[in-house]
């Protein structure tokens, strides 16, 4: 959201190109402050061969009903009629607090390409109700909350869409959960919680952790600030002390 439209198009093109020789499905986020920009990005995503698109709610002029939100999303999805469409629900960032399960029901009828949602909102009862609307997996409910994925596995979730640096932990967590190895599953969730706690306490952006993890993603853009050199050193030290850099190297396949 801090990138220009042209930059977002260039980024999407780079990801689609990089994915061609890999088993990767690129979902392009096309949410924007302006509906016309979102529609332009959706059309572009289809033109470059993305697998699917997703969008969050408008975050300045916010929808005040589920019907208004779905009407807004339907206009975006219509610009890419051959691509699956996902609603990105993250209410603590958008400040759009609606009934997400009702949004799913309405979207099924109003958006022919509707495939499901990325549910990053924290309310577990909302996640459970959305999973109840998934019709046995016909509609996906992807989970975007690092600190409570194990709980959502119990509810029936299967698809984590998390920060890339914790991916090995969540792969191992799912494998352990499926094997009824709850001790290992809890261990992996507790590891993720420790990482989340350090990030929150130090007030650092995820990019700071990604840069330390071997992903050269560069600095943030204002108003999000990168930590000082001193805080980055503290972050590295505390992640080292809990074993983070060893955890991400452990086998997960």
């Amino acid at each position: 959201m801090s990138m220009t439209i042209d930059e977002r198009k260039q980024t999407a093109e780079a990801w689609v190109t990089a994915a061609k020789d890999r088993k990767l499905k690129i979902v392009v986020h096309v949410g924007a402050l302006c509906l016309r920009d979102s529609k332009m990005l959706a059309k572009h995503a289809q033109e470059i061969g993305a697998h699917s698109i997703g969008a969050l709610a408008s975050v300045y002029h916010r929808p005040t009903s589920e019907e208004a939100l779905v009407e807004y999303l339907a206009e975006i999805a219509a610009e890419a009629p051959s691509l699956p469409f996902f609603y990105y629900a993250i209410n603590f960032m958008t400040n759009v607090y609606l009934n997400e399960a009702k949004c799913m029901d309405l979207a099924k009828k109003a958006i022919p390409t509707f495939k499901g949602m990325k549910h990053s909102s924290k309310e577990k009862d909302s996640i459970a109700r959305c999973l109840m609307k998934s019709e046995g997996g016909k509609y996906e409910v992807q989970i975007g909350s690092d600190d409570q994925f194990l709980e959502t596995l119990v509810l029936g979730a299967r698809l984590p869409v998390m920060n890339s640096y914790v991916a090995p932990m969540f792969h191992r967590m799912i494998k352990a959960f499926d094997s009824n190895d709850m001790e290992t599953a809890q261990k992996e969730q507790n590891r993720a919680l420790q990482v989340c706690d350090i990030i929150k306490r130090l007030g650092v952006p995820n990019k700071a952790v990604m840069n330390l993890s071997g992903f050269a993603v560069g600095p943030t853009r204002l108003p999000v600030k990168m930590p000082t050199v001193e805080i980055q050193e503290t972050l590295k030290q505390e992640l080292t002390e809990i074993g983070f850099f060893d955890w991400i190297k452990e086998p997960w396949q």
Side-chain angles (χ1 to χ4, degrees), residues 78-147:
E79 294 297 316
S82 67
L83 300 187
F85 178 84
F86 295 92
Y87 168 47
Y88 183 8
I90 182 165
N91 56 22
F92 58 90
M93 292 296 290
T94 63
N95 206 29
V96 175
Y97 288 87
L98 297 173
N99 184 325
E100 287 154 351
K102 182 178 179 181
C103 290
M104 279 192 72
D105 270 342
L106 293 171
K108 292 176 189 178
K109 300 173 183 176
I111 304 174
T113 55
F114 182 69
K115 182 62 177 174
M117 66 164 47
K118 178 185 177 183
H119 198 307
S120 293
S121 304
K122 300 293 186 179
E123 296 82 4
K124 288 187 285 296
D125 60 329
S126 174
I127 296 172
R129 289 185 173 89
C130 288
L131 286 165
M132 290 168 62
K133 304 289 186 180
S134 66
E135 298 183 20
K138 179 180 178 181
Y139 299 97
E140 295 180 5
V141 180
Q142 305 164 353
I143 306 300
S145 181
D146 295 13
D147 54 2

Side-chain angles (χ1 to χ4, degrees), residues 18-186:
K20 284 182 178 179
D21 297 326
R22 300 173 174 85
K23 295 181 180 179
L24 294 176
K25 297 178 180 179
I26 303 302
V27 185
V28 178
H29 176 250
V30 299
L33 289 177
C34 172
L35 176 57
R36 289 186 178 182
D37 285 345
S38 289
K39 293 167 74 170
M40 184 190 310
L41 289 169
K43 184 177 181 180
H44 175 260
Q46 179 170 282
E47 291 172 348
I48 64 175
H51 174 269
S52 48
I53 58 172
L56 43 67
S58 175
V59 298
Y60 186 76
H61 295 292
R62 301 180 182 91
T64 57
S65 70
E66 292 80 7
E67 290 80 6
L69 171 60
V70 171
E71 184 178 354
Y72 170 84
L73 297 175
E75 287 210 19
I76 299 171
E79 294 297 316
S82 67
L83 300 187
F85 178 84
F86 295 92
Y87 168 47
Y88 183 8
I90 182 165
N91 56 22
F92 58 90
M93 292 296 290
T94 63
N95 206 29
V96 175
Y97 288 87
L98 297 173
N99 184 325
E100 287 154 351
K102 182 178 179 181
C103 290
M104 279 192 72
D105 270 342
L106 293 171
K108 292 176 189 178
K109 300 173 183 176
I111 304 174
T113 55
F114 182 69
K115 182 62 177 174
M117 66 164 47
K118 178 185 177 183
H119 198 307
S120 293
S121 304
K122 300 293 186 179
E123 296 82 4
K124 288 187 285 296
D125 60 329
S126 174
I127 296 172
R129 289 185 173 89
C130 288
L131 286 165
M132 290 168 62
K133 304 289 186 180
S134 66
E135 298 183 20
K138 179 180 178 181
Y139 299 97
E140 295 180 5
V141 180
Q142 305 164 353
I143 306 300
S145 181
D146 295 13
D147 54 2
Q148 57 185 29
F149 184 59
L150 181 56
E151 299 166 72
T152 63
L153 279 176
V154 176
L155 296 174
R158 299 296 305 171
L159 299 167
V161 182
M162 312 290 190
N163 291 304
S164 56
Y165 51 80
V166 293
M169 302 176 205
F170 288 97
H171 281 291
R172 293 191 295 265
M173 190 191 305
I174 294 171
K175 185 177 180 179
F177 180 84
D178 289 345
S179 302
N180 293 319
D181 181 2
M182 290 305 298
E183 182 179 351
T184 298
Q186 290 169 352

Side-chain angles (χ1 to χ4, degrees), residues 169 172 187-195 247 250:
M169 302 176 205
R172 293 191 295 265
K187 179 184 73 174
E188 297 296 347
Q189 181 64 81
N190 289 339
R191 286 175 166 180
L193 283 169
Q194 290 180 73
V195 177
W247 299 342
E250 292 177 7

